[in-house]
Amino acid sequence: MRKRWALGTVGALIVAGGGYTWACAATPLPELRVQPAVAETAEFPADPAPAEAAVAAYPQPTAIGWAEADGVWTNDASPHPIASITKLVTALVCLEAAPLAPGEDGPVYTLTEEDERVQRELIALDGVAHPLPAGSQLTTRQLLQLALIPSSNDYAISYARATFGSEDAFLAAVAEWADRNGLETLELVEPSGMDTRNRASADDVVRIARLALQNPTITEITSMPSAEIPGIGVVESTNPLIGRPGVIGLKTGRTVDAGYNLVAAQQGSAADRSVVKIAATLGRATGEDRAASTGALLGAMDALPQTIEVAAEGERIGEVTTWTGETIDLSAERGASAVLLPGESAGRTVDLGTVGAGPSGATAGTIRVETPSGDEDVPVLVGSAIEEPDLWWRLTHPAELFG
């Protein structure tokens, strides 16, 4: 009896042991624990100090910015008379109300006796006017060309009144437009720039130029060195930088009280990026002064873009703990950098996936690198091979295996 009981017990133990062994061999291994070593998201801004230093080196008021970036840097944020830079605002507000595509003529405007009166008044005030008699006709495009190329005050006024019906309606539209675009210092009392109460800070002038660069009709016209207007003849641009390599144009301004103003834009490059630089100088003593300081500042801006490292080759992004307790690094396969303008930033997002048995260099996730010039994914790699534990480990680690 005892012998049969012993044999039965041994058999039961063998069966049970076999079942345990089978269970250990067949049970899926638990998921490995992946631990990040860096923040899931990170931002990498460009240093603004070089841009601040650049404008600080020039007489006040001066401001710079880029068409592609939000930042603007100035050495004087107070409002100043902007003179005929006003006409950029007039063109922007009128073109928003009545769009005109590049190359289109638009509606025809017939000059009135009121236009003749304004012309006489402007000439008496030493304003820029190109008189035509009442009944003469100009297309909308020609009104814009006269306002923006030789800076005709009379046709800026005619254009605003023709678009909105009255100067008061135009000024109400300007106030709403300025508020909507965050131009806190801009204030106009008329559409031409003859009145010194038309004011804005140099940094808001850069913001106005940035908005103008988004309108292809304005950039087409302000980049023209001249235009021929029926009844008037050839009119020349007042912008002294037109014709220099890459200069897109924009606008001059001058009155006795305002001095000589200029906001100019120029195509440039930052590594492999194409960018547009904007510089504004207000209140210069002469036309030569405004041309020299604006041109020099545009040139100095070429040194301001920065190369920022967003991910480093081999950078430790995280770690994984294997079933046997070994810790293995997860690292960036390669580096990634961004060329940033002051005011810009790059970012990255780390996404670590599940990691299992596999060779060294297996993919463990990605780093999503986001830059103003485009995005890319950098693989995160496992630093060493990971092998599944053997059967003995399974048999001796039931808690880890079965949880």
Side-chain angles (χ1 to χ4, degrees), residues 16-61:
Y20 173 70
T21 301
W22 177 86
C24 288
T27 298
L29 290 165
E31 188 174 291
L32 294 180
R33 184 168 61 88
V34 175
Q35 182 67 36
V38 296
E40 181 181 357
T41 61
E43 188 173 3
F44 301 81
D47 182 4
E52 294 167 357
V55 294
Y58 285 80
Q60 296 178 342

Side-chain angles (χ1 to χ4, degrees), residues 173-386:
V174 169
E176 188 278 330
W177 178 84
D179 182 66
R180 178 161 34 93
N181 287 286
L183 301 168
E184 296 180 357
T185 67
L186 176 65
E187 184 176 358
L188 297 193
V189 299
E190 53 84 32
S192 73
M194 281 292 292
D195 197 307
T196 57
R197 291 174 295 171
N198 284 9
R199 300 168 73 84
S201 62
D203 50 317
D204 268 351
V205 169
V206 168
R207 294 183 182 97
I208 291 165
R210 185 179 286 150
L211 292 168
L213 289 168
Q214 296 171 15
N215 188 301
T217 298
I218 292 178
T219 55
E220 177 197 28
I221 292 173
T222 63
S223 64
M224 297 173 65
S226 64
E228 186 167 359
I229 308 296
I232 294 175
V234 176
V235 292
E236 305 284 344
S237 174
T238 58
N239 188 339
L241 301 186
I242 288 291
R244 293 192 185 184
V247 171
I248 299 170
L250 295 183
K251 195 68 190 74
T252 58
R254 180 194 66 83
T255 65
V256 172
D257 292 329
Y260 288 80
N261 301 338
L262 176 60
V263 59
Q266 185 180 37
Q267 195 80 40
S269 61
D272 58 349
R273 290 182 61 188
S274 177
V275 298
V276 175
K277 304 171 290 183
I278 306 168
T281 54
L282 306 180
R284 297 305 189 258
T286 67
E288 291 77 12
D289 288 342
R290 72 181 174 188
S293 62
T294 307
L297 190 52
L298 287 169
M301 291 173 69
D302 287 334
L304 299 181
Q306 303 161 35
T307 300
I308 305 294
E309 185 178 63
V310 182
E313 183 178 355
E315 180 182 355
R316 184 172 176 270
I317 304 300
E319 63 183 30
V320 59
T321 303
T322 70
W323 299 281
T324 59
E326 181 185 5
T327 299
I328 296 175
D329 285 343
L330 308 176
S331 304
E333 178 189 48
R334 62 177 186 275
S337 61
V339 176
L340 301 179
L341 306 173
E344 291 184 326
S345 63
R348 76 179 193 186
T349 301
V350 175
D351 181 16
L352 295 178
T354 58
V355 177
S360 174
T363 301
T366 58
I367 305 169
R368 182 69 169 173
V369 176
E370 299 173 333
T371 76
S373 56
D375 303 340
E376 65 173 307
D377 288 331
V378 175
V380 177
L381 306 182
V382 178
S384 301
I386 299 175

